[in-house]
Amino acid sequence: MEHQQGGQEPGQYQLPGCYRHQDRETGIRCTRCERPICPECMIAASVGYQCPECVRGGSGTGHSAGASRPRTIAGGTMVGDTRLVTKVLLAINVTVFVAVLATGRDLVEQLAMLGLARADGPFDPFSPPEMLGVADGEWYRLITSAFLHQEFWHIGFNMMALWFLGPPLEAALGRARFLTLYLLSALGGNVLTYWLMAQNVMSLGASGAIFGLFGATAVLMRRMRYDMRPIAVLLGVNLVITFVPGLNIAWQAHLGGLIVGAIVAYAMVHAPRERRALVQWGACALLAVLLVTLTIARTINLLG
């Protein structure tokens, strides 16, 4: 009777062996070259582990002076401060919040997400009413509203989520890719809001971008073969809260951000190494074009 190596039953899944120690099974792979590595060969990186050869190649040991710098799993350049973009985004949100507290509702009405509504003011039968909103040409609202908050609990929850979710993603993707993920998620959430929410109702907050980070975290954890249960529970709880009646939560922004964030992250961490940058930035460009097209279509729909 034949037996599989290592006492495996026929048909049972067998983990690959370490590329340096073939007799040692492992479920961990180098975040750069993706070769299986055992605990003896694991060298801790900003995200996950790297093999000895990739670490030597990144530091220039044993190679020419032109050796490439260490790269993240998405191909971004590894840097010392993996919280820089997260800190900048958090600072922008807090600064705008302070400005809202100082100026009152005026700033909210100027920057919040709004499809199309008539401006407040006395009725004039001899001139058409002044209109506000994205459909009236104020396209900037699709982004500015993602940095806008009115209540302490709202900005507190969003910034706490940004602080915990942002740095691991920034370390894994690199600064430019992480910023792209954040902005496209914010845009995706507001585009879905533009389509599904009443056009004369305002919405605001970074929740669309934050849910994009949730989706990206789930994609990254699956790619790294980490335990999915913590992020699944956290995401499930937040989705349940999103649809609780009476909380006046813009579920459209949450759902749109989640979908876009997951798509962007999938393109970032699953792009083939040979054409990584082309696939990543091409996917982001196509997604941006799609969101702009949907915005134009909704504008045409509202203006009749």
Side-chain angles (χ1 to χ4, degrees):
M1 180 181 294
E2 294 183 357
H3 294 275
Q4 294 188 0
Q5 185 179 1
Q8 296 287 337
E9 295 296 330
Q12 185 175 349
Y13 176 74
Q14 184 175 7
L15 292 172
C18 172
Y19 84 101
R20 299 177 70 201
H21 308 95
Q22 293 295 327
D23 59 328
R24 303 177 187 177
E25 295 183 356
T26 178
I28 304 299
R29 293 179 180 270
C30 173
T31 56
R32 291 188 63 196
C33 66
E34 301 184 0
R35 289 180 292 192
I37 49 178
C38 67
E40 182 179 334
C41 299
M42 295 176 189
I43 300 177
S46 56
V47 175
Y49 299 91
Q50 293 185 11
C51 68
E53 290 185 17
C54 285
V55 172
R56 286 197 298 269
S59 61
T61 305
H63 293 261
S64 65
S68 60
R69 297 182 62 184
R71 296 282 173 175
T72 69
I73 189 174
T77 302
M78 288 188 176
V79 293
D81 187 358
T82 59
R83 296 175 181 265
L84 178 62
V85 176
T86 301
K87 292 175 183 177
V88 171
L89 291 171
L90 196 150
I92 294 174
N93 278 276
V94 172
T95 300
V96 175
F97 178 67
V98 172
V100 168
L101 294 180
T103 61
R105 189 171 174 81
D106 290 344
L107 190 61
V108 173
E109 292 181 349
Q110 294 171 14
L111 301 180
M113 178 60 204
L114 180 68
L116 185 66
R118 194 174 78 174
D120 295 332
F123 175 70
D124 185 351
F126 301 103
S127 64
E130 180 184 356
M131 304 301 291
L132 301 173
V134 176
D136 194 53
E138 299 174 339
W139 285 37
Y140 58 85
R141 292 177 180 268
L142 292 166
I143 292 296
T144 57
S145 60
F147 294 92
L148 196 63
H149 299 83
Q150 275 188 292
E151 295 86 8
F152 282 98
W153 69 266
H154 193 193
I155 189 173
F157 176 83
N158 282 340
M159 294 305 99
M160 181 177 65
L162 173 59
W163 185 248
F164 282 105
L165 295 173
L169 286 170
E170 187 175 342
L173 302 180
R175 290 172 177 171
R177 291 168 174 82
F178 172 67
L179 180 60
T180 302
L181 164 71
Y182 189 92
L183 295 177
L184 281 177
S185 298
L187 179 60
N190 279 329
V191 168
L192 193 62
T193 298
Y194 191 33
W195 267 97
L196 300 183
M197 182 177 285
Q199 70 268 20
N200 60 344
V201 175
M202 287 194 304
S203 66
L204 65 162
S207 301
I210 297 302
F211 266 76
L213 301 188
F214 274 120
T217 300
V219 170
L220 177 63
M221 291 183 68
R222 182 172 180 82
R223 173 68 176 78
M224 300 292 293
R225 300 180 182 179
Y226 291 163
D227 185 1
M228 294 290 295
R229 287 174 291 183
I231 187 62
V233 171
L234 187 60
L235 180 57
V237 169
N238 279 276
L239 284 174
V240 169
I241 294 175
T242 295
F243 292 97
V244 172
L247 294 183
N248 294 324
I249 294 177
W251 62 266
Q252 300 90 340
H254 291 193
L255 185 59
L258 178 65
I259 294 172
V260 170
I263 293 174
V264 172
Y266 190 90
M268 293 290 185
V269 301
H270 287 281
R273 292 173 60 86
E274 298 78 11
R275 301 182 303 275
R276 176 181 281 163
L278 177 63
V279 171
Q280 291 173 339
W281 297 115
C284 291
L286 288 175
L287 189 55
V289 169
L290 174 62
L291 293 175
V292 171
T293 301
L294 289 172
T295 301
I296 294 173
R298 177 56 172 165
T299 300
I300 295 173
N301 175 266
L302 287 178
L303 297 179

